[in-house]
Amino acid sequence: MRTTIISLLLILPLMGLAQETASYSFSLDQAIAHALEHNYSSINASRDIVDAQKQKWETIADGLPQISGAISYQNQLKQPVTQIPAEFFGGEPGTFQEVVFGQAQSANATATLTQQIFDGSYIVGVQATKAFLSFSQNNKEKNELDVRKAVVEAYGNVLLAQESVLISENNKKTLEKNLYETEKIFENGLGDEESVDQLKITLSSVENQLKNAKRLEKITLQMLNLVLGLPIQTPTILTENLDDLTQKQIDFGLMDSSFNIENNVDYKLAINQEEQRYFEHKLAKSKALPTLNAFVNYGGSSFSDSFNFLSSGQEWFGSSVLGFDLNIPIFSSLKRSAGTQRAKIALEKAKTQLTEAEEQIRLQLESAKSDYILAIEEYGTSKENLALAERIENKNQVKYSEGLATSFELRQAQTQLYTTQQEYLQSMVDVINNKTELETILNN
């Protein structure tokens, strides 16, 4: 038995370690699908839908029959004394007799049924629940689009960082080889010290870039895990590379996609805002209407000098009341009128904001199309520039090894290559992100 316990104590930490090091691998589409289910804001957006449904029923239930019960118990520790003219009991006129009425202890139990017959604010509230539920659904859709966009950006940034690490490592290897050869030439008296120093400057710069790229690779992966709803230290593997993903994101047919502004989620939310202001205005006007409620109750009372109300022989006296409550607003010193006018102003503002939102969305669409085209063009240009920069750097490598180019010229060619490499990587990320931005507006 002792051996078994010791074995369990040894195995449990290993099991915990295995769970902590569980890894995931995602394509971009798989990452998006995972995030839509496990992202923290996505989870809460789904809860908001359920909350809106519960709030809808909560509002409806206000107008349905309500039953309440009440039980009270009193024990008069010292009963009040009342003076009665003594002549009522055959005493001397002008004198009084002290009398105690009732019994010291009493209990009451009542059940009341209430029913709302007419209330303008209730009618408006029920109508508004549909608009509120629609807002929650549209807000969830907005959240899903934002999560999708965040995943694409985070996924692209991880790939960018990984490519930057690979490129910096290759650049470092090339520079280390150049520096080694140059130092040997200098040691043999065939070169100058400046060439060595120039290469050292370039190498130290590339080493710093490599260290930074590795740090960014770790940070961007943690950011992706956060968006995916995973612990940030999870070892996540990306199954796509930046170049292939960029090629898949180039789609000129997207520019000719039909645009229905009613499918745009920001437009839907602007419509929801207008609807909310409409019902607020309607609610303000309903406050001038009367309200009518009905109620019926049934209860019993019992009295005793001792606590025996739960005994089977204790007598209870029943009572029942049926009634109506009619509340008629008559004069509020123009308070209701001012509230109604304010609600109307808010409604007019919402209508103006809806018109503005429509124009902004159309402008965003044109801007997103332009940015997407520019990103594709920049990608093509940077790819060509990279090939040219590599050719220039290779030629300068040859010239430098043959003594036909200075170390300063080689450094210039290398610096130009490194800059062009980063521009090329960034252009691919820009294509991916700008396509996502356009798809978000189109709601594809």
Side-chain angles (χ1 to χ4, degrees):
M1 181 67 179
R2 184 178 178 184
T3 305
T4 304
I5 294 174
I6 294 174
S7 300
L8 286 172
L9 292 174
L10 292 172
I11 293 172
L12 285 174
L14 296 175
M15 292 175 62
L17 181 62
Q19 291 177 349
E20 290 176 2
T21 57
S23 63
Y24 295 83
S25 63
F26 298 105
S27 65
L28 178 57
D29 290 339
Q30 289 171 338
I32 291 172
H34 187 277
L36 290 177
E37 184 177 356
H38 298 94
N39 177 269
Y40 303 116
S41 60
S42 292
I43 292 172
N44 281 337
S46 297
R47 289 171 178 157
D48 287 338
I49 295 289
V50 178
D51 181 73
Q53 293 169 340
K54 298 301 180 183
Q55 185 172 345
K56 177 181 178 181
W57 178 250
E58 184 180 5
T59 302
I60 293 172
D62 281 338
L64 301 178
Q66 310 288 321
I67 298 176
S68 61
I71 298 176
S72 67
Y73 163 73
Q74 289 185 354
N75 186 350
Q76 296 180 340
L77 300 178
K78 188 167 182 61
Q79 291 181 273
V81 176
T82 303
Q83 289 186 330
I84 303 295
E87 56 191 278
F88 288 171
F89 305 98
E92 291 285 335
T95 61
F96 296 89
Q97 177 71 40
E98 296 177 352
V99 178
V100 175
F101 288 101
Q103 294 170 290
Q105 300 188 39
S106 63
N108 296 279
T110 307
T112 304
L113 169 67
T114 59
Q115 173 62 59
Q116 188 179 90
I117 298 176
F118 177 80
D119 188 334
S121 62
Y122 170 74
I123 296 173
V124 175
V126 172
Q127 293 173 341
T129 56
K130 182 179 179 182
F132 181 72
L133 185 57
S134 174
F135 168 78
S136 299
Q137 291 169 339
N138 289 334
N139 193 55
K140 185 176 186 300
E141 182 181 348
K142 170 75 171 176
N143 176 266
E144 289 176 348
L145 291 172
D146 289 342
V147 168
R148 179 179 182 272
K149 183 178 177 181
V151 171
V152 172
E153 291 179 353
Y155 198 97
N157 287 337
V158 175
L159 293 178
L160 173 61
Q162 291 176 344
E163 291 290 340
S164 295
V165 169
L166 293 176
I167 288 175
S168 295
E169 287 176 343
N170 290 333
N171 292 338
K172 181 185 176 184
K173 289 178 182 178
T174 301
L175 282 168
E176 287 173 339
K177 179 181 178 183
N178 290 340
L179 179 60
Y180 175 78
E181 292 173 349
T182 303
E183 286 177 333
K184 290 299 181 183
I185 292 174
F186 175 66
E187 289 171 0
N188 293 327
L190 300 176
D192 56 74
E193 188 176 7
E194 180 183 352
S195 298
V196 176
D197 292 340
Q198 287 283 0
L199 287 171
K200 285 182 176 179
I201 291 173
T202 307
L203 178 59
S204 63
S205 177
V206 170
E207 286 176 338
N208 288 335
Q209 291 176 2
L210 176 59
K211 292 176 184 177
N212 185 57
K214 288 182 176 180
R215 289 193 296 268
L216 286 176
E217 181 181 13
K218 180 180 179 181
I219 293 171
T220 54
L221 188 59
Q222 290 176 342
M223 292 176 65
L224 176 61
N225 284 336
L226 181 63
V227 176
L228 293 174
L230 297 172
I232 62 172
Q233 300 298 337
T234 301
T236 304
I237 300 170
L238 278 56
T239 60
E240 299 194 60
N241 64 63
L242 191 57
D243 189 60
D244 290 343
L245 185 58
T246 303
Q247 293 296 328
K248 290 195 295 185
Q249 299 300 313
I250 298 177
D251 180 12
F252 290 102
L254 192 61
M255 311 301 297
D256 300 324
S257 299
S258 59
F259 176 60
N260 184 358
I261 196 169
E262 293 181 355
N263 291 334
N264 182 276
V265 69
D266 290 323
Y267 182 77
K268 293 178 183 178
L269 290 172
I271 289 287
N272 289 143
Q273 185 181 28
E274 184 190 20
E275 289 176 342
Q276 181 180 350
R277 298 296 176 265
Y278 166 77
F279 285 116
E280 287 175 357
H281 179 231
K282 199 170 180 180
L283 177 63
K285 292 194 296 183
S286 72
K287 291 180 180 179
L289 300 174
T291 60
L292 179 61
N293 298 298
F295 68 91
V296 61
N297 66 19
Y298 182 82
S301 302
S302 183
F303 310 93
S304 178
D305 289 324
S306 60
F307 191 90
N308 56 0
F309 301 107
L310 302 180
S311 301
S312 59
Q314 180 65 20
E315 187 175 7
W316 287 79
F317 305 95
S319 63
S320 180
V321 177
L322 170 67
F324 297 88
D325 290 325
L326 178 63
N327 184 15
I328 304 174
I330 297 176
F331 182 64
S332 65
S333 296
L334 301 180
K335 177 182 178 180
R336 287 192 303 273
S337 176
T340 302
Q341 291 173 16
R342 289 189 61 206
K344 185 176 182 181
I345 292 171
L347 175 59
E348 294 301 324
K349 287 173 63 177
K351 289 180 179 179
T352 302
Q353 289 168 349
L354 176 61
T355 303
E356 181 184 17
E358 184 175 354
E359 296 304 317
Q360 286 179 341
I361 292 168
R362 295 189 185 279
L363 180 60
Q364 289 171 1
L365 176 62
E366 295 305 317
S367 178
K369 286 182 177 180
S370 177
D371 291 343
Y372 182 48
I373 293 174
L374 176 62
I376 295 174
E377 292 173 345
E378 289 286 352
Y379 167 65
T381 301
S382 62
K383 192 171 186 178
E384 294 174 356
N385 290 343
L386 178 60
L388 293 173
E390 288 174 343
R391 193 186 314 166
I392 292 171
E393 197 270 344
N394 288 333
K395 286 182 179 180
N396 276 273
Q397 285 278 5
V398 174
K399 288 181 180 180
Y400 178 74
S401 63
E402 295 176 352
L404 299 177
T406 65
S407 59
F408 181 75
E409 291 172 329
L410 176 61
R411 184 171 188 272
Q412 276 190 316
Q414 289 172 331
T415 302
Q416 178 179 259
L417 173 62
Y418 305 154
T419 302
T420 306
Q421 288 170 338
Q422 293 303 315
E423 290 175 349
Y424 174 63
L425 294 178
Q426 187 60 51
S427 71
M428 290 191 283
V429 173
D430 289 342
V431 170
I432 297 169
N433 291 342
N434 280 289
K435 185 190 179 188
T436 304
E437 181 67 30
L438 179 56
E439 288 176 332
T440 300
I441 296 173
L442 293 172
N443 200 7
N444 288 344

